[in-house]
Amino acid sequence: MTRPDTSLDTRRMARSTTPATSPRRQPLSNGTPRKGSRAPSATPGHATPGAARTPFRSRSGIPSLTALSERRRANTRGVTGIHSEPSSPRAAPACPGLADSLPSLPSTLDYLLPPGDDSTCGSDNVKVYVRVRPLNTRGGSGDGGPAAKACLTCPPGGGRRTVLLADASRSEPYTATFDRVFGPEEGQQQVFEAVGAQLVENCMAGINSSLFVYGQTGAGKTHTITGEVERGAEDGAVCEDTGLTLRIFRQLFDRITEDEHDGVRFTVKCYNCEVYGEEVTDLLAPGASGLQIRDGDQHQGIYVEGLSEHVVVNADDVMQLIQRGSANRHTAATRMNERSSRSHSVFTAVVEAHEEQGESGVTHVQFAKMNLIDLAGSERVGKSGATGDRLTEAKGINKSLTTLGRVVSALTERQQHVPYRDSRLTFLLKESLGGNAKTSIVACVSPSEDSAQETHSTLVFAAGAKRIKNRAVVNENTVGDMKALQLENARLQRELAKREDVLAAELRQHLAAAQGEAAGAEQRAAVAEERQQQLEVALTENHVALQQRNAELAMVKKEAEDTKSTCQLLQKDREGLIDHNAALTERVDGLQGSLQRSKDALRQSQQELAIAKEHTEAAIAAQRAAEDSAHSHEREKERLADDVARVSAELAESKTAQAASEQANKALRREVDQLTSDLRRRQREVQDTQELAAEKEGRLRREIEELSESVASRSAQLQELEGQLASETVCTTKYRRMVGEIGKLIDWAHSTSPLPPTLGGRTSPAGYSSVMGFGSSRSFGGGGSSTIAVSPLGDATNMWGLPGSASRRASTSPSKQRQMAARTLLAMAALATLALSTNAALPELANPGGPPFLSAYWKFEDAETGGLWSVGVHNNSTFGAAEYYEGIYASSGVYTSWECGPEPGSYFAIANATYWGPEGAEAYTWCEYGVVDLDKGIIMTSDSEEECSTAPDHYHTLTIISPISTNENTCGTPTTLPSAEGRRK
Ligand SMILES: Nc1ncnc2c1ncn2[C@@H]1O[C@H](COP(=O)(O)OP(=O)(O)OP(=O)(O)O)[C@@H](O)[C@H]1O
């Protein structure tokens, strides 16, 4: 038992693992039996694989793995379906002929069946078979011997599914029903066809399967699962007693041969281990013991770490493995069994099918693990008579079998905790018991009365195990090669790009819509604002109108009050008039009395009467006037009453107008409230925007600070660069000054008369005539005696160095000498300037034991004379070079003027120059040394500066021809530097 091929991508497997379809939903048969398939079993309810096969074929006629896979699944379903209880009223009746001729229709009844009905042994229930061995006739004294009496029978009508145990110890016989009961007369082939063949189909369908043999010692477990493996071993052939293992593999390889074609290939790997006394040992590599059992991922399942793997290609290979494993297994003779297995053996095969699918590079993979488990037998120690090691073994075996019983109980009782880890055996069988496997158990029993108790225990265990439910799935996977993965990757990327485009378009749409909405909102806000302003204006106008109305009302009220008071006054007047009238009436009465009295007197006096009459008429006239006045007062009163009524009506109207105005005000107020809340919301938005702006501003400030820091650092760099620039400028200035001096020298040189005749001396370069040399003897490589030394200024004492040479001064006139000196200095200055400006290009000469020494030589064409200047420049910024020359001149006695040489650490160059006249023309070799200091200009020991001041106004042109190679020594440059000691000398 080991893990499947680890090259498979287990994560993908996890995704592609397909649950094994319940056989309840499948037809009992999917097609016609194939040619060459095994003979169908005559046993009702137990189909052979061949009977269940359907020729799934591709158009090319070659069945693809996928099709095969489907077919295998169908086959497996067919097999397991047939294992459904045939006598169950809910199972579809098997009618082979009809099934073969009808299309594959699922059984309606099957669909109606409730899932997980234990009594019908559903597809995932553990299949339990009982095998009754013959009464012991071959030895094995513990099982009764030839004379033993049988107590276990298969009652007629039980359909080979029921056993009846009737022994003397029980009052009632014990009966139990299983998936199949094999009687003593049934051989290995029958057991294989009913039990083993379906394991083969499971393997071919990518479904894990397990087969246990369980039972008391000597009950026939090893006989069933292994049987005879010695006979017929040559080619994996079987004999009558060959057990299930070899038969299964023979059929497996037959099936592989049938299913294998160009695109599909199978591999079979085998493993064999035993659990002995809680220790796991590799039976095919016996040295490997104490192996660990691991619980891998969903697809590895349980496996033994480090177990040897054996690829087998035919049944013969398997046979050899079985033989090897059996030979290495712990066995011992006991009273119950001559060759009793003292360990639990697990023989595992992993079958993998790979199908490459076209040129896509994708491989479809199916794999299945098959465990064939031969358990050690339980034994009653008293009965087996085990002692010593056997006793220890028996205890261990019984203990692990007890744990197995507890696991079965936990599973059937659906307990939360299943004690798989309580023993190595149960941990190893975890997948087979309640896991990803189709499991079959063959409970081996003895019919002997002597073994009744053990047989009963075995049957009870078997009946319990029948209720265990497993969850087998099809193990398959698709793995792709690089090309397929690249194609898939490209496809996914295209999809992603498309999706991104779509999302971007959607985003743009949303953005546009949001912008439109924002614009609309802004527009609405503007309109609302305008409306608010209008309403505010209207409100103000209304308010003003209201105030006017109120003022008018107040005026009308005042007028009404005035009118009222006028009325009151008129009333008072009227009352006064009435009183006056009454008084007048009274007076009239008095007058009438008087009249009466006057009448009396009238008679007496007509005059008096007339007078009285006049008085009376006057009184009447006055009365009439009073009455007229009363009438006019009355009319005035009516008019005032009309005015009051009109004013009241106006007042009422004004009140109505006021109410309407208040109504309008309320509406306006509401609108204003609404607008105010809008305003507040907008203010909040503005606030938010301001906060955002503040945050942005903060960020910008920080960025500005960072930028300022960067600017500061840049400024520092700038300052540094400016410093460098300044120093460059200083250099440039110095350089220019030097160039100026060269110009002065050129002028000075040309102010003299033509060159003197050849003075002879050294060998001239090719193309040039004889030369005249000047300088120290050292500068001519030690050839000072052949050198004609000429003072450049015509005054040996003023010339720096060369007092010795002065005695050998050439017969050159002082002016010529001065001219030559000027040219020499000119060349030196030019070279020194060049050397200083191209300091880095000057090569370094070796100066063992001394400071680095730089030297270079150039040729200059003298355009005016056609001559050639060969100038060497020796340059060093240390005092070492000067020290060196000091040494030279000191040793040759020409040191006197060097004291005005460069100060230690100043930058200077020392040059020597030689002039070579053109062939056939007057020519001189002139050699001079000078020191150039950048800070001080050309330093000479003579008073040349005075001479320079007399420079004429035209320039002499020097053309640089080319640098001469570093060590070209036309002037005899010292190549061997004197040692410090030599210099001192
Ligand atoms: N069905 C059978 N037909 C013929 N012989 C059988 C049958 N069953 C068992 N035997 C014989 O009985 C003997 C004991 O059988 P076997 O070794 O298979 O028992 P076991 O259950 O494996 O015992 P143990 O648990 O001790 O290993 C063997 O000689 C075997 O050939």
Side-chain angles (χ1 to χ4, degrees):
M1 182 177 289
T2 188
R3 70 176 84 188
D5 189 350
T6 50
S7 66
L8 301 177
D9 184 340
T10 53
R11 282 169 299 174
R12 290 179 187 202
M13 287 174 192
R15 285 198 297 275
S16 64
T17 301
T18 314
T21 315
S22 166
R24 290 170 186 279
R25 294 172 187 267
Q26 299 302 322
L28 292 179
S29 171
N30 277 324
T32 53
R34 281 183 317 178
K35 185 183 164 194
S37 62
R38 296 276 174 271
S41 166
T43 310
H46 291 76
T48 61
R53 286 181 197 141
T54 305
F56 284 92
R57 292 204 171 265
S58 64
R59 281 184 195 161
S60 64
I62 300 168
S64 70
L65 183 58
T66 318
L68 286 169
S69 162
E70 284 302 317
R71 187 174 76 188
R72 288 184 207 111
R73 271 177 231 165
N75 287 346
T76 310
R77 289 192 289 263
V79 169
T80 51
I82 285 167
H83 279 285
S84 305
E85 177 67 62
S87 59
S88 165
R90 287 175 288 185
C95 181
L98 193 58
D100 289 346
S101 60
L102 287 175
S104 307
L105 290 173
S107 159
T108 311
L109 202 55
D110 283 346
Y111 282 119
L112 295 173
L113 289 174
D117 184 345
D118 289 350
S119 64
T120 58
C121 298
S123 63
D124 286 326
N125 276 74
V126 170
K127 302 282 177 291
V128 181
Y129 307 89
V130 172
R131 186 175 195 190
V132 185
R133 57 155 293 165
L135 274 174
N136 195 349
T137 56
R138 301 186 190 177
S141 59
D143 197 26
K149 197 178 152 200
C151 64
L152 186 72
T153 54
C154 297
R160 290 188 177 273
R161 299 184 66 234
T162 306
V163 286
L164 189 144
L165 179 67
D167 64 298
S169 69
R170 66 190 72 244
S171 51
E172 290 290 319
Y174 172 83
T175 61
T177 302
F178 299 95
D179 289 285
R180 173 79 153 81
V181 176
F182 300 97
E185 74 289 355
E186 290 187 270
Q188 304 280 52
Q189 178 61 19
Q190 275 102 328
V191 178
F192 164 71
E193 286 170 2
V195 181
Q198 62 186 312
L199 270 73
V200 176
E201 293 310 317
N202 288 344
C203 280
M204 298 303 283
I207 296 169
N208 297 340
S209 43
S210 290
L211 171 64
F212 293 70
V213 281
Y214 179 91
Q216 77 166 117
T217 180
K221 298 182 296 295
T222 308
H223 175 75
T224 301
I225 204 149
T226 309
E228 178 60 66
V229 287
E230 295 301 329
R231 278 184 287 152
E234 291 303 311
D235 56 354
V238 297
C239 64
E240 190 190 349
D241 285 338
T242 303
L244 286 176
T245 305
L246 191 57
R247 289 173 192 269
I248 284 170
F249 278 96
R250 276 169 55 85
Q251 173 132 335
L252 180 68
F253 282 110
D254 285 352
R255 292 281 288 106
I256 286 173
T257 308
E258 287 166 13
D259 280 1
E260 224 164 18
H261 57 80
D262 284 350
V264 182
R265 59 194 163 78
F266 286 84
T267 55
V268 183
K269 298 169 202 161
C270 291
Y271 317 81
N272 192 188
C273 68
E274 68 172 359
V275 181
Y276 175 75
E278 289 300 291
E279 188 174 67
V280 181
T281 303
D282 190 340
L283 286 177
L284 302 178
S289 57
L291 301 176
Q292 293 303 313
I293 305 167
R294 303 281 181 217
D295 195 351
D297 61 27
Q298 191 186 347
H299 294 275
Q300 287 173 315
I302 301 288
Y303 66 94
V304 176
E305 194 173 53
L307 199 56
S308 64
E309 179 180 284
H310 303 266
V311 177
V312 290
V313 295
N314 53 38
D316 192 30
D317 290 349
V318 178
M319 166 106 91
Q320 286 175 20
L321 293 180
I322 297 169
Q323 285 172 349
R324 201 161 10 136
S326 298
N328 290 326
R329 191 175 175 189
H330 279 87
T331 56
T334 67
R335 199 187 293 170
M336 300 293 290
N337 189 351
E338 283 174 355
R339 188 179 157 82
S340 174
S341 307
R342 311 309 289 168
S343 66
H344 310 292
S345 159
V346 182
F347 192 96
T348 304
V350 174
V351 181
E352 287 173 13
H354 299 253
E355 182 189 30
E356 284 168 16
Q357 297 186 332
E359 291 179 357
S360 68
V362 174
T363 303
H364 184 81
V365 182
Q366 260 189 6
F367 61 90
K369 185 156 68 170
M370 177 172 65
N371 288 320
L372 304 172
I373 303 134
D374 182 6
L375 296 171
S378 58
E379 65 187 67
R380 280 195 291 158
V381 177
K383 196 173 166 188
S384 66
T387 54
D389 287 349
R390 296 294 83 78
L391 181 62
T392 313
E393 283 166 355
K395 281 181 182 171
I397 292 165
N398 286 346
K399 193 178 163 201
S400 60
L401 290 174
T402 305
T403 311
L404 180 63
R406 283 197 288 119
V407 167
V408 170
S409 298
L411 286 168
T412 53
E413 289 163 18
R414 311 243 161 111
Q415 288 175 10
Q416 276 204 325
H417 175 69
V418 181
Y420 290 116
R421 288 181 182 262
D422 283 7
S423 77
R424 291 275 198 284
L425 174 69
T426 48
F427 189 26
L428 203 55
L429 302 181
K430 188 179 169 194
E431 274 176 318
S432 310
L433 297 166
N436 174 20
K438 291 198 174 202
T439 298
S440 303
I441 296 176
V442 178
C444 296
V445 292
S446 164
S448 164
E449 192 155 23
D450 288 352
S451 299
Q453 198 179 334
E454 289 87 345
T455 299
H456 178 254
S457 313
T458 302
L459 293 175
V460 168
F461 171 87
K466 211 170 63 153
R467 288 162 55 212
I468 297 174
K469 279 184 178 299
N470 282 5
R471 297 174 306 279
V473 296
V474 175
N475 304 311
E476 60 188 352
N477 186 25
T478 300
V479 290
D481 67 1
M482 191 55 82
K483 186 180 163 193
L485 292 174
Q486 280 171 348
L487 286 172
E488 178 66 3
N489 190 24
R491 187 186 66 73
L492 288 173
Q493 281 188 345
R494 281 198 301 279
E495 261 181 31
L496 190 66
K498 273 189 207 160
R499 186 86 193 107
E500 278 176 358
D501 287 348
V502 170
L503 285 174
E506 279 176 9
L507 198 64
R508 280 197 294 275
Q509 271 179 357
H510 285 313
L511 206 61
Q515 281 172 345
E517 271 179 27
E522 274 178 19
Q523 232 168 358
R524 282 199 297 281
V527 169
E529 208 167 336
E530 201 178 338
R531 177 82 186 122
Q532 185 190 358
Q533 283 172 358
Q534 285 172 355
L535 287 169
E536 277 173 1
V537 170
L539 193 64
T540 312
E541 284 172 2
N542 272 335
H543 192 64
V544 171
L546 193 65
Q547 281 179 340
Q548 278 177 355
R549 299 289 292 172
N550 282 339
E552 282 173 13
L553 196 65
M555 278 172 66
V556 168
K557 268 185 185 170
K558 193 166 178 300
E559 274 178 17
E561 276 170 12
D562 289 349
T563 309
K564 200 174 167 185
S565 59
T566 308
C567 281
Q568 282 171 351
L569 285 172
L570 288 171
Q571 187 68 23
K572 272 184 188 169
D573 284 353
R574 183 172 169 262
E575 283 169 4
L577 285 171
I578 289 167
D579 289 345
H580 184 61
N581 195 24
L584 283 174
T585 306
E586 200 178 334
R587 194 171 164 201
V588 167
D589 287 346
L591 285 172
Q592 279 177 343
S594 298
L595 187 60
Q596 195 56 42
R597 281 188 303 271
S598 295
K599 271 178 184 178
D600 291 341
L602 188 58
R603 279 178 299 227
Q604 295 170 1
S605 170
Q606 276 293 334
Q607 217 139 349
E608 280 182 356
L609 183 61
I611 294 166
K613 200 179 174 181
E614 280 175 13
H615 281 290
T616 304
E617 283 172 355
I620 289 167
Q623 186 182 1
R624 277 184 188 150
E627 279 174 0
D628 286 346
S629 171
H631 280 310
S632 85
H633 280 304
E634 202 68 37
R635 280 198 300 278
E636 181 68 16
K637 188 182 165 190
E638 280 170 5
R639 191 182 62 77
L640 284 172
D642 286 347
D643 279 355
V644 167
R646 183 176 55 76
V647 165
S648 298
E650 279 181 1
L651 199 60
E653 200 181 327
S654 173
K655 276 183 180 165
T656 310
Q658 191 178 1
S661 172
E662 277 170 5
Q663 203 74 21
N665 279 350
K666 276 182 188 165
L668 281 171
R669 182 59 53 203
R670 275 198 300 278
E671 217 165 333
V672 167
D673 287 348
Q674 177 62 37
L675 287 167
T676 309
S677 85
D678 282 353
L679 204 59
R680 282 198 189 117
R681 186 173 51 73
R682 288 186 64 74
Q683 279 171 346
R684 275 199 301 278
E685 284 174 6
V686 168
Q687 203 174 346
D688 289 349
T689 312
Q690 280 173 343
E691 281 171 8
L692 268 176
E695 195 183 316
K696 267 188 187 171
E697 192 184 336
R699 216 168 38 238
L700 282 171
R701 273 182 204 290
R702 283 194 297 281
E703 282 176 13
I704 286 168
E705 279 169 14
E706 284 169 12
L707 279 172
S708 303
E709 283 171 17
S710 156
V711 166
S713 96
R714 288 286 167 92
S715 298
Q717 285 175 3
L718 200 63
Q719 275 180 357
E720 202 177 320
L721 285 171
E722 277 172 357
Q724 286 174 9
L725 191 65
S727 90
E728 293 281 336
T729 309
V730 169
C731 280
T732 308
T733 310
K734 289 174 180 175
Y735 177 76
R736 287 205 179 120
R737 202 169 73 198
M738 194 67 70
V739 168
E741 292 208 25
I742 290 167
K744 286 179 194 170
L745 283 169
I746 290 167
D747 293 346
W748 181 59
H750 280 272
S751 68
T752 58
S753 53
L755 292 169
T758 301
L759 295 176
R762 289 169 60 85
T763 309
S764 62
Y768 292 90
S769 65
S770 57
V771 297
M772 181 186 83
F774 177 84
S776 74
S777 58
R778 184 69 183 158
S779 71
F780 289 93
S785 58
S786 61
T787 301
I788 296 171
V790 178
S791 165
L793 301 176
D795 181 353
T797 54
N798 280 337
M799 193 184 101
W800 54 273
L802 300 183
S805 299
S807 60
R808 286 182 272 123
R809 193 181 306 163
S811 58
T812 315
S813 69
S815 64
K816 290 289 182 284
Q817 290 170 10
R818 194 174 64 182
Q819 184 183 34
M820 296 309 291
R823 282 183 180 277
T824 304
L825 291 171
L826 159 69
M828 282 167 54
L831 259 293
T833 307
L834 203 85
L836 291 169
S837 63
T838 58
N839 182 41
L842 293 176
E844 187 177 329
L845 290 183
N847 181 14
F853 186 75
L854 302 176
S855 182
Y857 291 85
W858 282 265
K859 280 179 186 170
F860 289 78
E861 194 178 55
D862 191 327
E864 191 170 294
T865 65
L868 186 75
W869 285 93
S870 153
V871 183
V873 176
H874 318 288
N875 177 24
N876 202 327
S877 62
T878 69
F879 196 57
E883 193 183 22
Y884 166 67
Y885 277 94
E886 256 182 292
I888 292 170
Y889 292 111
S891 64
S892 59
V894 294
Y895 178 61
T896 51
S897 301
W898 265 109
E899 277 145 2
C900 63
E903 291 165 14
S906 69
Y907 197 89
F908 67 96
I910 298 168
N912 63 344
T914 305
Y915 173 78
W916 307 86
E919 199 163 17
E922 292 175 324
Y924 301 90
T925 292
W926 195 273
C927 185
E928 184 55 282
Y929 286 84
V931 175
V932 179
D933 189 300
L934 267 186
D935 293 324
K936 296 177 181 171
I938 299 171
I939 298 171
M940 291 179 293
T941 55
S942 70
D943 54 351
S944 60
E945 281 182 32
E946 281 177 33
E947 297 293 335
C948 289
S949 66
T950 61
D953 55 0
H954 73 276
Y955 290 97
H956 178 74
T957 307
L958 282 180
T959 308
I960 295 175
I961 300 172
S962 67
I964 302 172
S965 67
T966 307
N967 280 318
E968 190 171 339
N969 186 6
T970 56
C971 293
T973 300
T975 50
T976 306
L977 301 176
S979 64
E981 195 184 336
R983 277 186 246 154
R984 273 195 296 279
K985 282 178 191 171

